[in-house]
Amino acid sequence: MNILRPKAKRERHRLTFSTGFSAGCIFSLIVALAAIIRTRNLLQEEGQAQYMDTMFPLYSLFGFIVLHIIMFAGNIYYWRRYKVNYSFIFGFKEGTELGYRQVLLVAFSTGVLALLCVLANLDMEVDPVTKDYQAFTELLPLILLLGIFAVLVMPFNFFYRSNRIFFLTCLLHCMAAPLYKVTLPDFFLGDQLTSQVQALRSIEFYICYYGWGDFRHRNNTCNKSGAYKGFFFIVAVIPYVSRLLQCLRRLFEEENPEQGWNGLKYFLTIVAICLRTAYSIQQGQIAWRVLAAISSAAAAIFCTYWDFIHDWGLLKRTSKNRWLRDKLLIPQKKVYFIAMILNVLLRFAWIQTVMDFNFSFMHKQTMVAVVASLEIIRRGIWNFFRLEKEHLKNVKQESSHGGDKGT
């Protein structure tokens, strides 16, 4: 029981200052960006659609990453507040786990760099003769992405080396599923990746945009390529295939039939994503639209049921806390019901991709980014209650072992 109790970690003033300073920089840069867009009337210029089709998908990748890291920082804050020993559950070496301020510092630093690149692009000039854009400013998103990757994989012992190695190890296990024994950090990261499908598609766009030289003319010819459309399917289902293989490994290794049903959940999601993607490519065809709607509804209902019953352990009529569970860490029971309602609403955000809601004030790429962000927010909410259940299960097991030893 003593092991399960999280240890208080001393925070340094330098860390708090750096986090606050970077947050202030983000706020200032956002204000500056809004002022530049309004002053130059960029939203009304002819190049606005071109910018949204090319540069926006490149920069939205960093937005997805930053949002996910911020949500994870929020998870850490509330895990600590309600005594969920996340470091023990994930298997971090004692004292190496990151606090929420450290995670926020990573998110805000990434956000500052991304916003600086956006502002630099807005000041970019075009060669009036060749119509080519300045190579350096057009390469800024790629340089930033490669820089983040280099920091992530560098072997030097600074910038949270143990956590980077831990993350890369879990990522390797997810990519190589089912070759490795599945542990909680592995399938937890796998679930995070399923909420970053649009980010993975953005990486595919990076390869196409820069690999084929479209960046020289700021032109998007990727959508005309059959290979690009094929990988548009493949990239989207990779995280779900990884989770499906993890479930199958656990099914045969642990002989737990629940993992079979869990695998079915990911299989239904794979079918739904493929049909929704096919409909997005074959716009206007009613057959694809109907198939996408039916498959997506079936997958969403099954996944929602699994979230509530299995991942969160809620909706128990016989519980002391009706429709919840016997043990709750948050004293305000309404929080659990609000979380369940939000889970349903955010999970059904895919309806937009089938119903083709169009808003005159919002570009198609903006709508895609909004829907992807809603899924990341839903995953952040899911994270807290999933680990809360895992913590309570560990406490129950330790209590029963302690009782056995006492007798």
Side-chain angles (χ1 to χ4, degrees):
M1 293 293 290
N2 186 51
I3 295 174
L4 289 174
R5 293 190 181 95
K7 305 294 188 300
K9 197 173 182 180
R10 185 178 179 182
E11 300 289 355
R12 296 182 177 181
H13 296 300
R14 182 174 59 185
L15 174 63
T16 304
F17 171 79
S18 301
T19 304
F21 179 77
S22 57
C25 290
I26 283 186
F27 177 78
S28 301
L29 290 171
I30 291 176
V31 172
L33 180 62
I36 291 175
I37 292 175
R38 183 175 179 83
T39 303
R40 300 183 182 180
N41 203 21
L42 296 177
L43 294 179
Q44 305 301 325
E45 291 185 353
E46 297 180 359
Q48 186 260 347
Q50 185 184 33
Y51 184 91
M52 295 299 297
D53 287 335
T54 54
M55 303 307 297
F56 185 81
L58 300 177
Y59 286 118
S60 62
L61 169 63
F62 303 107
F64 299 143
I65 294 174
V66 170
L67 177 60
H68 210 132
I69 298 175
I70 291 175
M71 293 299 297
F72 189 68
N75 291 147
I76 293 176
Y77 174 81
Y78 285 104
W79 285 332
R80 284 192 170 184
R81 179 176 178 179
Y82 293 104
K83 311 301 182 184
V84 176
N85 198 344
Y86 65 96
S87 61
F88 174 81
I89 295 173
F90 286 133
F92 291 120
K93 185 179 179 181
E94 187 174 354
T96 63
E97 73 280 1
L98 299 182
Y100 73 94
R101 289 186 180 88
Q102 294 167 306
V103 176
L104 282 177
L105 179 59
V106 174
F108 292 155
S109 300
T110 305
V112 167
L113 293 174
L115 287 171
L116 286 173
C117 291
V118 173
L119 289 172
N121 269 127
L122 291 179
D123 285 332
M124 173 219 38
E125 297 177 359
V126 185
D127 189 315
V129 178
T130 64
K131 301 298 182 182
D132 285 356
Y133 290 83
Q134 288 187 358
F136 178 73
T137 50
E138 289 299 296
L139 288 172
L140 282 176
L142 180 62
I143 293 172
L144 179 57
L145 180 63
L146 294 177
I148 292 175
F149 178 77
V151 171
L152 183 63
V153 301
M154 65 182 179
F156 307 110
N157 190 21
F158 65 93
F159 202 70
Y160 314 135
R161 179 176 181 269
S162 61
N163 288 270
R164 289 188 284 108
I165 293 176
F166 185 86
F167 171 78
L168 292 173
T169 301
C170 294
L171 184 61
L172 173 63
H173 291 175
C174 291
M175 295 173 61
L179 301 179
Y180 291 92
K181 180 179 176 63
V182 182
T183 60
L184 187 142
D186 297 337
F187 70 73
F188 188 87
L189 177 59
D191 282 324
Q192 308 309 304
L193 295 177
T194 60
S195 297
Q196 286 286 4
V197 169
Q198 194 56 43
L200 295 176
R201 282 175 167 171
S202 296
I203 294 176
E204 178 192 2
F205 182 71
Y206 265 89
I207 297 173
C208 171
Y209 187 69
Y210 288 105
W212 294 354
D214 286 349
F215 72 97
R216 298 184 184 278
H217 303 279
R218 191 179 279 186
N219 187 27
N220 181 7
T221 61
C222 298
N223 295 329
K224 301 176 182 178
S225 169
Y228 181 84
K229 293 178 181 179
F231 277 99
F232 206 67
F233 285 87
I234 297 172
V235 168
V237 301
I238 285 177
Y240 294 96
V241 171
S242 174
R243 285 294 288 121
L244 174 59
L245 294 175
Q246 288 179 338
C247 291
L248 292 177
R249 164 129 190 180
R250 295 185 67 184
L251 173 64
F252 291 106
E253 197 170 60
E254 303 172 10
E255 298 182 354
N256 183 359
E258 281 191 1
Q259 293 303 319
W261 292 107
N262 198 14
L264 177 62
K265 177 187 73 173
Y266 292 106
F267 176 77
L268 291 175
T269 307
I270 291 171
V271 174
I273 289 177
C274 289
L275 291 175
R276 285 206 301 267
T277 304
Y279 172 68
S280 67
I281 296 175
Q282 304 290 335
Q283 285 285 350
Q285 296 193 12
I286 302 300
W288 283 113
R289 187 175 189 174
V290 172
L291 289 174
I294 294 174
S295 62
S296 297
I301 292 172
F302 193 2
C303 291
T304 302
Y305 166 82
W306 196 270
D307 285 345
F308 294 163
I309 302 300
H310 293 274
D311 289 343
W312 292 359
L314 303 176
L315 293 182
K316 295 182 178 179
R317 291 192 302 172
T318 59
S319 170
K320 292 187 299 183
N321 303 297
R322 190 169 179 81
W323 295 112
L324 300 177
R325 59 170 113 84
D326 291 336
K327 296 290 185 179
L328 301 173
L329 293 182
I330 303 177
Q332 296 84 7
K333 298 177 184 178
K334 63 182 179 181
V335 172
Y336 293 89
F337 293 106
I338 293 173
M340 286 190 283
I341 294 172
L342 286 176
N343 185 281
V344 173
L345 295 177
L346 296 176
R347 188 176 278 284
F348 279 84
W350 56 265
I351 292 177
Q352 183 275 333
T353 60
V354 178
M355 301 303 295
D356 295 330
F357 296 136
N358 293 316
F359 301 96
S360 58
F361 61 89
M362 189 176 294
H363 191 272
K364 180 181 178 182
Q365 289 294 339
T366 306
M367 178 62 74
V368 170
V370 169
V371 174
S373 298
L374 291 177
E375 169 58 21
I376 294 172
I377 293 172
R378 186 199 70 81
R379 179 61 61 185
I381 297 172
W382 178 90
N383 288 344
F384 175 83
F385 297 100
R386 177 63 183 88
L387 235 64
E388 178 199 25
K389 182 195 173 188
E390 190 70 23
H391 175 79
L392 292 173
K393 184 180 77 172
N394 291 342
V395 170
K396 182 178 180 181
Q397 291 175 348
E398 290 297 322
S399 299
S400 62
H401 293 333
D404 294 340
K405 291 178 182 178
T407 57

